Amino acid sequence: MSTENEGTPDPAEQAAPSAPPTPPAPPKEAPQPAPAPQQAAAPEPQPATRADEPTAVQPPVPAAAPAPTPAPEPVTAPTAAPAGGWPPPPPAVPAWGAPHPPAPEAPRRRTGGLVAAVLVASLVAGGIGGGIGYWAAERGDNGFSSTTVSSGQAPASFKRDPGTVAAVAAKALPSVVTIQAKSGAQEGEGGTGTGFVYDQEGHIVTNNHVVASAADGGTLSVTFSDGKTYDAEVVGRAEGYDVAVLKLKDAPKGLTPLPLGDSDKVAVGDSTIAIGAPFGLSNTVTTGIVSAKNRPVASGDGSGGSNSYMSALQTDASINPGNSGGPLLDASGAVIGINSAIQSTSGGFGQSQAGSIGLGFAIPVNQAKNVAQQLIRTGKPVYPVIGATVNMNEKGEGATIASQGSGGTASVTPDGPAAKAGLKAGDVITGFGDHPIDSGPTLISEIWTHKPGDSVKITYERDGKTATATVVLGERTGDS
């Protein structure tokens, strides 16, 4: 719908038809200021000027035929109508256009203003804001080409402050790698995982289950974020911890290790950033928080091997298959954990389950650091032990020392740490250090956060009575 006939009538529209093309009559033009209170001042001289031009050559003729317009009318009556050859009187409402070309100019300017006003209203109603609406209204006379506002200074002046996700990711990505593992079998089984630069010598830390398929006769390749790929070999693996260390065969100079944080000082609610290759999508960054600490997790890779145990950091940062072995960073960019397992909707924990549901688990970096150093030194893992076999199936009442060990051996190793602390078969361990114990896997997860030789207070129940003892942890070398 046209906007020219909407709203209050424009005073200029009343002035335009009041001046038909007549001979100049200066004495009769004088009364025209009478309707001035209702008309705009600017358009009034324009019709008079234009009327003089086409009638200047006509001689004045005494008034005869047309009757004067009644005085109450707000329009100027024709005076001294020509006789003889003068054409018949003009129609009551003269045609717009040729006789008065200036008259349409004012409505066009107001129409542009009205359209601008409508545009401004729609912008404000849409939530864009008064600033853009004002910008559009100010340029209404020149037409509308765009209502987009751009900041020409942004690309040159915008900086990402340290601590932002973008800044942390930009600094960490060059030190995170995607690992391709292929087994030595004829089918070429393997998978994709993640790792990160541990030192300048070319050591890469990752999960054991990422490289297990290639550990015996397979091949490993490591690709950096810049696309450069290097061959790698396994230095050592710790199946129980689910930690492995690789080394680049031809390590480039200038490697930048990721800084290691302190997982013991992490607090629930701290920000987390996970970097990995979920489903093969390298250099993927996700964010979340530390959802919980000391979460006991027993996970397996689905290959029939032994489970790994961890007192894990739980995070809601999106972790999927392919993120395994990648770093879990804090807000400063320091590694606080190694992403290792997720909870699936089908129940149970695993390293190769379906997509993330916001329950991811990472090996605390303090534990992973100790394991990595041991693997680099000797190539074999060392586990702290209490020298007792506990029931791994019961849950909720603590960790019960079994009646006998594997193969019919004694459940409490003679002269072992538990025996020296006075523990016996049937005792139920309910506390290890400051952490409550509700099952065998939970106990193992807590034991493995310590080192051989550490002294730890144990709370246990025997015959319905609670007692405490101090155990000095022993050690076991290798995964056998």
Side-chain angles (χ1 to χ4, degrees), residues 203-224:
H203 288 108
I204 304 295
V205 173
T206 184
N207 282 146
N208 170 68
H209 74 264
V210 170
V211 302
S213 62
D216 297 320
T219 59
L220 291 167
S221 63
V222 170
T223 303
F224 284 80

Side-chain angles (χ1 to χ4, degrees), residues 118-133 147:
V118 173
L119 179 59
V120 172
S122 65
L123 291 173
V124 175
I128 297 178
I132 298 179
T147 57

Side-chain angles (χ1 to χ4, degrees), residues 164-207:
T164 62
V165 175
V168 170
K171 187 175 181 180
L173 277 168
S175 300
V176 179
V177 300
T178 300
I179 300 172
Q180 293 285 346
K182 294 183 179 180
S183 71
Q186 189 172 2
E187 293 84 3
E189 294 179 357
T192 301
T194 307
F196 62 91
V197 177
Y198 181 76
D199 57 27
Q200 292 183 333
E201 284 70 38
H203 288 108
I204 304 295
V205 173
T206 184
N207 282 146

Side-chain angles (χ1 to χ4, degrees), residues 277-298:
F279 298 102
L281 300 174
S282 301
N283 309 315
T284 295
V285 178
T286 57
T287 64
I289 62 170
V290 175
S291 303
K293 297 178 60 177
N294 306 119
R295 190 71 82 190
V297 173

Side-chain angles (χ1 to χ4, degrees), residues 321-336:
N323 277 104
S324 293
L328 184 69
L329 309 174
D330 62 14
S332 70
V335 180
I336 57 174

Side-chain angles (χ1 to χ4, degrees), residues 92-103:
V93 180
W96 291 91
H100 305 282

